[in-house]
Amino acid sequence: MGFWHHLLKQSRQTFLKITHKFRLNSIKGFLSLFLVGVSLSVAIAACSNGASNSSSSTDAGGSNASPVSANKQDVKVTLVSFAVTKAAHDAIIPKFVEQWKKEHNQNVSFEQSYGGSGSQTRAVIDGLEADIVHLALALDTQKIEKAGLISPGWEKEFPNNGIVSKSVAALVTRPGNPKGIKTWADLAKDDVKLITADPKTSGIARWNFLTLWNSVIKTGGTEEKALEFVTKVYKNVPILTKDAREATDIFAKRSQGDALINYENEIILAQQKGEKADYVIPDVNISIDNPIAIVDKNVDKHGVREVAEAFVKYLYTPEAQQEFAKVGFRPVEETAQTKQLADKYPKVKNLGTVGDYGGWDAVQKKFFADGAVFDQIQAKK
């Protein structure tokens, strides 16, 4: 630092001499003053930088190591999910936030949106800037992919083809089950009225339809037998509601119908809230798989990919899966932590999957597209 102070002193003395010798309106004087000023500025800056570097080394304990960094900038992640996952996410998110803070010294907050899977899908496509979507069926996720928001191949980014929660279909009956409804076949009886939503507009209703079709195929029936059975069942449906919530209200609050098809996890969650429900889990059933995906366009726009991907991975941990199990979802992988909770769910002997029918693209085209099987069934009513 002695050299710089000496140079600074000399520069100041030279500056005073030139100021005295030349008048400011002289071009020659102006240029001289300008050059001396530049030299003076360089000297001051160099001196200042030397002091700054010295201070950093002191903060780092006198070594060349960088000082301890301050907290990273806070980050916000937007999660859009279907309604009945809220209880699980409310328990899981604080645990993830705490872990991330401990490991990365960064505060993470979540903006959350819950609703019907179909409605949430439309909202994201229409501009709701979700970073993560956890939806009722892969068909909805694929719609967001086709809209250009999710990159192709999202199913392979996380375990189990992106399935992070799952359930099975349940048959809800009137108290005491006066009609003796125990299997899917009972829904085809002439004196049974079934309440369900329209699979053309409701995600859960698509699962309901596939459950009925699957019940025939998985027991050795042909597609002709499956079509005949499902046609009889839908003749026993007095009204097709627009979504699963309306179907539940008509059955429970308006006391219409003898049976209702619903997610097992919805019924368990309702019971935890004090509601009563008589229901049975038929031995022949279908795995209701709920996928999760990163909305690539939005995470890159918001700069939150690292946190979003870490959160999705966290949802597969035993700690997170345990929270899903507590509110009625069947764990995607059985671990020591989830086994005890999973044991309370009735075992399903014959479980089908949407993959058995070619995946959701094939199922949508075959059953639910305009003029497909479901429209043909409705035309016969």
Side-chain angles (χ1 to χ4, degrees), residues 270-282:
Q271 289 178 328
Q272 291 175 352
K273 294 179 179 179
E275 300 176 22
K276 295 181 179 180
D278 286 20
Y279 72 99
V280 62
I281 305 296

Side-chain angles (χ1 to χ4, degrees), residues 61-80:
S63 69
N64 292 326
S66 299
V68 177
S69 62
N71 289 2
K72 295 180 182 178
Q73 185 175 0
D74 294 352
V75 62
K76 181 176 71 175
V77 176
T78 300
L79 169 67
V80 172

Side-chain angles (χ1 to χ4, degrees), residues 20-266:
H20 179 72
K21 189 174 182 179
F22 299 102
R23 292 190 306 172
L24 289 178
N25 60 353
S26 165
I27 295 177
K28 182 177 180 181
F30 175 79
L31 291 174
S32 299
L33 284 172
F34 174 77
L35 292 173
V36 172
V38 169
S39 300
L40 184 61
S41 298
V42 170
I44 293 171
C47 187
S48 175
N49 286 340
S52 176
N53 290 336
S54 174
S55 175
S56 295
S57 298
T58 301
D59 290 342
S63 69
N64 292 326
S66 299
V68 177
S69 62
N71 289 2
K72 295 180 182 178
Q73 185 175 0
D74 294 352
V75 62
K76 181 176 71 175
V77 176
T78 300
L79 169 67
V80 172
S81 189
F82 63 110
V84 293
T85 64
K86 185 178 187 301
H89 284 305
D90 281 347
I92 293 168
I93 286 174
K95 294 183 177 182
F96 171 78
V97 168
E98 181 181 3
Q99 178 176 303
W100 185 266
K101 174 69 173 179
K102 181 179 180 180
E103 295 178 354
H104 299 270
N105 197 29
Q106 184 177 40
N107 296 316
V108 180
S109 63
F110 280 77
E111 184 172 310
Q112 303 168 66
S113 173
Y114 298 94
S117 186
S119 299
Q120 296 291 73
T121 299
R122 289 189 294 273
V124 172
I125 292 172
D126 290 342
L128 176 56
E129 293 191 358
D131 298 305
I132 303 168
V133 287
H134 181 188
L135 301 171
L137 67 168
L139 183 65
D140 286 340
T141 313
Q142 288 165 359
K143 289 178 181 177
I144 300 175
E145 175 191 341
K146 291 175 181 177
L149 300 175
I150 296 177
S151 299
W154 59 269
E155 306 95 325
K156 304 302 179 184
E157 292 181 5
F158 301 104
N160 305 313
N161 288 320
I163 304 304
V164 75
S165 61
K166 65 181 182 178
S167 190
V168 294
L171 263 175
V172 186
T173 67
R174 292 297 168 196
N177 194 8
K179 293 291 181 73
I181 301 169
K182 297 180 180 180
T183 68
W184 304 117
D186 293 331
L187 297 177
K189 294 179 179 178
D190 292 338
D191 64 338
V192 171
K193 297 299 180 186
L194 172 68
I195 301 298
T196 184
D198 187 343
K200 300 279 283 188
T201 60
S202 166
I204 189 173
R206 292 187 181 93
W207 282 116
N208 294 352
F209 181 97
L210 200 58
T211 297
L212 297 171
W213 189 275
N214 177 76
S215 70
V216 176
I217 302 299
K218 282 295 181 182
T219 52
T222 63
E223 291 211 340
E224 289 74 17
K225 288 293 184 181
L227 179 60
E228 180 183 347
F229 168 69
V230 174
T231 300
K232 286 183 179 180
V233 171
Y234 277 92
K235 283 183 177 179
N236 289 341
V237 177
I239 181 173
L240 285 169
T241 63
K242 67 182 179 187
D243 56 36
R245 183 61 57 202
E246 185 181 352
T248 300
D249 288 344
I250 286 177
F251 180 79
K253 297 179 180 180
R254 301 184 194 177
S255 298
Q256 293 185 30
D258 304 301
L260 171 77
I261 306 177
N262 204 346
Y263 292 154
E264 177 189 43
N265 63 280
E266 279 225 56

